[in-house]
């Protein structure tokens, strides 16, 4: 019974700890600052804001 | 090509500094993601067939009952586990892998890890499903796979988790997008859930009613900490990318992520309201279920406000249509789930078909539709070929959408009637069953619609792999400037 208990408690501590560390890291490294820019990271020069990237196949014939 | 050891330290490679184009990332993702997609669709078909057999047995008890492996007690858990692990998880992993590579903005590394993972994952599902049909089901809901198949799935999963962490370490510097938070969390949460439940229920089973608590802690968290984050990660990427507009409030999206992480794992006990458990366990779970309104409302506001003024996109984009259907269902299913946790309402809905309707709303109308949407976006970029037929996509959408709405509607209504009848001491128990039986016929018929939708999708996917139909433009650059004006003016 010892090994499962250690595994489960260890997993709990590891997971909670990693969540706290991740939150701390995110706050420290400025992940929560300049949120507007954050929301725009999925766009770039090739696929800029204001440009759709998907269509029904038929429309390509136009 | 870097070795596994080198990958633990990003600075040991210069690869991160190179600007890697989207198409290079897509090319690197081709084999592993298509492998997960293809096998997921295969299991979706198997799962649909098993579901139909189980569903018709509810109305025609003698249907296919002369073979032991075709009895309800085996077909029903086989359906559940093939769609959870074979379809939904594999599709989710495929979408997650691709999104992770895109958002980290590096080409996929160590794809051999992923190919091994895909092989092991499917082997695990195959062994598990055959095990259930052979009579080895463990009778633990969501975890019926016999003990000899779960380690195979866990090994497969370990490869994926390790890969996810390596990719995250190697990401191009800069902001970590909200989808990446969701994916990284899901990649870490699932092995924790699956490992813990396997230790406590299979390896060293704990005693008595505590098993129920572990069972529902796991079953509910698979939905909330594995499928939900992957589904939302996909929505937070697909909706802005398809309509070309950043998320309405990025602040809310981050609040939504962290509040989901905080509240969700407490929710499972609400399945055991009225069960033999300490009152505080149930109460804590009911409170956490109500707190889920916070992440759900943030997501709902965000997706709606992002879409506002762009709803015309539903007319032309298959990805958007499926994804928005999924996002709306997410709001509905989450509200419904929180309300079902309130003990006075739970008294009526517990042990009825209402709950089955709720779980299909979550796993199908939300998650599966979200995955269809993502697959319509991702597959052309992997294959370098456009979907051959818009009509097949339309049929797929309408059959799936109508099918699931009818199914959820029938089960919800039937469940309420059944629940009220069960709750009324004046009503004979058998009558409460008879009241529900017309709704079960409707459910079986809606299941036929869904199966037809899946067959269409599977055929289309194979046509895609074989590059049938005529060549249509560059897959990585769908939008044409001419079309852009048209879409933005809608």
């Amino acid at each position: 019974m010892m090994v499962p208990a250690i595994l489960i408690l260890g997993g709990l501590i590891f997971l909670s700890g990693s969540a706290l560390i991740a939150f701390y890291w995110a706050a420290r490294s400025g992940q929560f600052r300049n949120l507007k820019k954050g929301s725009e990271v999925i766009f770039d020069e090739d696929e800029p804001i204001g440009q759709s990237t998907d269509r029904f196949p038929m429309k390509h014939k136009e | 090509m870097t070795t596994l050891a080198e990958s633990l330290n990003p600075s040991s490679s210069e690869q991160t500094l190179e600007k890697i184009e989207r198409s290079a990332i897509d090319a690197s993702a081709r084999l592993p993601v298509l492998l997960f997609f293809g096998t997921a669709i295969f299991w979706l078909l198997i799962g649909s067939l098993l579901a139909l057999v189980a569903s018709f047995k509810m109305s025609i008890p003698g249907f296919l009952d002369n073979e032991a492996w075709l009895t309800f007690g085996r077909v029903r858990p086989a359906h559940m586990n093939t769609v959870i692990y074979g379809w939904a998880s594999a599709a989710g992993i495929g979408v997650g892998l691709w999104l992770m590579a895109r958002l980290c903005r590096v080409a996929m590394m160590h794809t051999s890890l992923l190919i091994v993972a895909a092989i092991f994952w499917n082997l695990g599902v195959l062994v598990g499903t055959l095990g259930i049909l052979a009579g080895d089901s463990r009778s633990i809901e969501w975890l019926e796979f016999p003990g000899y198949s779960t380690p195979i799935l866990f090994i497969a999963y370990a490869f994926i988790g390790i890969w996810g962490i390596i990719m995250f370490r190697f990401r191009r510097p800069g902001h970590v997008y909200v989808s990446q938070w969701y994916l990284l969390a899901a990649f870490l949460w699932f092995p924790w859930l699956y490992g813990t439940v396997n230790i406590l229920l299979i390896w060293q089973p704990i005693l008595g009613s505590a098993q129920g608590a572990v069972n529902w802690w796991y079953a509910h968290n698979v939905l909330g900490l594995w499928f939900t984050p992957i589904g939302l990660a996909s929505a937070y990427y697909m909706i802005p990318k398809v309509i070309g507009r950043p998320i309405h409030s990025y602040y809310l999206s981050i609040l939504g992520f962290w509040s989901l992480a905080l509240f969700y794992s407490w929710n499972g006990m609400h399945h055991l309201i009225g069960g033999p458990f300490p009152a505080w366990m149930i109460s804590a779970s009911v409170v956490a279920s109500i707190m889920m309104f916070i992440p759900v409302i943030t997501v709902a506001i965000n997706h709606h406000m992002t879409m506002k003024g762009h709803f015309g996109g539903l007319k032309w984009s298959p990805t958007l249509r499926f994804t928005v259907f999924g996002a709306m269902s997410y709001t509905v299913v989450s509200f419904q789930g929180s309300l079902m946790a309130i003990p006075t309402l739970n008294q009526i809905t517990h042990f009825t078909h209402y709950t089955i309707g709720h779980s299909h709303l979550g796993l199908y109308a939300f998650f599966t539709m979200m995955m269809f949407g993502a697959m319509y976006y991702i597959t052309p970029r992997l294959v370098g070929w456009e979907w051959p037929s818009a009509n097949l996509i339309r049929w797929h959408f309408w059959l799936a959408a109508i099918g699931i709405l009818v199914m959820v509607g029938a089960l919800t209504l039937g469940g309420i009637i059944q629940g009220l009848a069960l709750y009324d001491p004046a009503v004979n128990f058998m009558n409460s069953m008879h009241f529900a039986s017309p709704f079960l016929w409707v459910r079986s018929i809606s299941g036929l619609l869904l199966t037809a939708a899946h067959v269409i999708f599977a055929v289309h996917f194979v046509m895609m792999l074989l590059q049938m139909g005529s060549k249509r433009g560059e897959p990585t650059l769908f939008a044409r400037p001419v079309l852009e004006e048209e879409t933005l003016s809608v």
Side-chain angles (χ1 to χ4, degrees):
Chain A
M1 209 53 211
M2 219 30 217
V3 178
I6 291 168
L7 278 176
I8 285 162
L9 283 176
L12 242 163
I13 293 165
F14 171 76
L15 207 83
S16 317
S18 62
L20 283 175
I21 292 168
F23 191 77
Y24 179 75
W25 171 82
R28 279 296 299 274
S29 66
Q31 293 289 332
F32 300 142
R33 262 179 252 132
N34 203 350
L35 293 174
K36 190 179 168 341
K37 213 165 152 245
S39 68
E40 291 167 2
V41 294
I42 54 172
F43 300 98
D44 54 26
E45 315 89 65
D46 296 343
E47 292 184 352
I49 293 171
Q51 184 180 303
S52 158
T53 57
D54 185 46
R55 321 198 49 83
F56 257 126
M58 297 283 264
K59 294 283 174 70
H60 284 290
K61 284 179 180 169
E62 288 167 23
Chain B
M1 188 70 190
T2 48
T3 66
L4 210 56
E6 284 170 342
S7 297
L8 296 173
N9 183 7
S11 58
S12 67
S13 163
E14 291 175 11
Q15 208 173 356
T16 39
L17 299 172
E18 289 169 26
K19 181 174 161 53
I20 293 162
E21 300 300 330
R22 245 188 309 275
S23 54
I25 298 174
D26 291 340
S28 71
R30 181 175 298 140
L31 189 59
V33 175
L34 284 178
L35 202 55
F36 273 106
F37 281 0
T39 54
I41 294 169
F42 168 77
W43 286 113
L44 179 66
L45 294 177
I46 301 290
S48 310
L49 281 180
L50 291 166
L52 281 179
V53 173
S55 184
F56 277 106
K57 278 173 185 287
M58 296 285 246
S59 307
I60 315 164
F63 180 59
L64 293 178
D65 66 345
N66 42 3
E67 295 283 347
W69 66 275
L70 280 171
T71 48
F72 186 80
R74 298 189 189 180
V75 171
R76 197 259 178 188
H79 153 64
M80 245 180 92
N81 286 269
T82 45
V83 294
I84 294 166
Y85 300 101
W87 153 249
S89 292
I93 292 169
V95 170
L97 298 177
W98 182 84
L99 277 176
M100 199 69 182
R102 268 231 165 167
L103 292 166
C104 292
R105 284 174 293 165
V106 285
M108 269 193 193
M109 294 174 293
H110 307 300
T111 45
S112 49
L113 272 184
L114 298 175
I115 290 160
V116 173
I119 293 168
F120 268 80
W121 186 267
N122 283 288
L123 188 69
V125 175
L126 181 70
V127 172
T129 308
L130 292 177
I132 290 176
L133 291 176
D136 286 348
S137 162
R138 295 201 52 95
S139 307
I140 300 168
E141 213 166 357
W142 289 70
L143 204 72
E144 284 95 341
F145 276 165
Y148 48 76
S149 67
T150 50
I152 311 176
L153 287 171
F154 193 81
I155 292 169
Y157 197 81
F159 284 119
I160 295 160
I162 292 167
W163 176 90
I165 293 168
I166 291 175
M167 284 298 280
F168 192 73
R169 292 271 293 163
F170 263 82
R171 72 191 186 277
R172 286 248 297 279
H175 182 80
V176 179
Y177 190 63
V178 60
S179 296
Q180 260 168 308
W181 281 110
Y182 275 116
L183 288 174
L184 196 68
F187 282 162
L188 291 175
W189 280 331
F190 187 77
W192 171 57
L193 294 169
Y194 202 65
T196 305
V197 80
N198 272 294
I199 290 171
L200 287 177
L201 294 181
I202 292 178
W203 185 31
Q204 293 261 333
I206 49 165
L207 298 176
S209 62
Q211 286 195 353
V214 176
N215 182 188
W216 282 110
W217 168 82
Y218 169 74
H220 206 89
N221 282 341
V222 170
L223 196 69
L225 297 180
W226 171 234
F227 292 129
T228 300
I230 294 176
L232 293 183
S234 172
Y236 271 124
Y237 186 80
M238 294 303 168
I239 295 177
K241 281 302 272 184
V242 170
I243 64 179
R245 179 190 202 184
I247 280 292
H248 168 71
S249 165
Y250 198 65
Y251 171 79
L252 282 183
S253 71
I254 290 179
L255 182 71
F257 170 75
W258 287 100
S259 51
L260 178 98
L262 195 58
F263 298 131
Y264 210 113
S265 70
W266 294 76
N267 274 14
M269 291 308 111
H270 70 210
H271 284 266
L272 300 165
I273 293 173
F277 293 93
W280 70 266
M281 280 173 81
I282 308 287
S283 303
S285 179
V286 172
V287 172
S289 308
I290 301 298
M291 294 303 275
M292 281 305 293
F293 275 121
I294 299 173
V296 172
I297 290 174
T298 58
V299 170
I301 292 178
N302 236 343
H303 289 165
H304 182 80
M305 294 305 286
T306 307
M307 280 300 292
K308 204 175 168 202
H310 289 71
F311 279 101
L314 299 178
K315 283 187 221 151
W316 49 260
S317 167
T319 299
L320 199 63
R321 197 183 284 180
F322 278 98
T323 304
V324 169
F325 187 98
M328 286 176 167
S329 303
Y330 173 69
T331 311
V332 176
V333 74
S334 305
F335 270 59
Q336 191 193 23
S338 292
L339 293 177
M340 280 165 77
I342 296 171
T344 39
L345 295 179
N346 190 272
Q347 282 174 346
I348 307 293
T349 61
H350 207 171
F351 303 122
T352 69
H353 296 295
Y354 188 94
T355 313
I356 317 296
H358 175 66
S359 53
H360 281 90
L361 191 59
L363 210 61
Y364 198 99
F366 159 49
F367 188 75
T368 294
M369 292 300 260
M370 208 68 111
M371 289 302 105
F372 286 147
M375 287 160 108
Y376 275 121
Y377 190 87
I378 296 168
T379 315
R381 286 159 175 76
L382 300 179
V383 184
W385 198 258
E386 253 300 358
W387 291 97
S389 160
N391 277 330
L392 286 180
I393 303 180
R394 285 192 191 99
W395 273 99
H396 175 202
F397 177 80
W398 288 111
L399 285 170
I402 293 170
I404 193 63
L405 290 177
V406 170
M407 177 181 288
V408 173
L411 289 172
T412 302
L413 203 58
I416 292 171
I417 292 171
Q418 184 196 7
L420 289 171
L422 279 171
Y423 204 58
D424 184 353
V427 178
N428 180 298
F429 176 78
M430 270 320 285
N431 279 344
S432 72
M433 298 290 112
H434 290 311
F435 291 154
S437 66
F439 297 99
L440 296 179
W441 271 112
V442 177
R443 190 258 295 266
S444 298
I445 290 161
S446 67
L448 287 173
L449 296 184
L450 294 183
T451 309
H454 302 157
V455 171
I456 290 172
F457 183 53
V459 168
H460 209 184
F461 187 80
V462 172
M463 285 166 73
M464 195 61 181
L465 294 184
L466 299 175
Q467 305 202 336
M468 287 163 79
S470 55
K471 179 133 179 102
R472 295 190 174 103
E474 290 254 317
T476 43
L477 285 171
F478 284 138
R480 297 281 174 271
V482 193
L483 301 167
E484 187 189 326
E485 288 166 17
E486 171 208 338
T487 62
L488 289 177
S489 63
V490 181

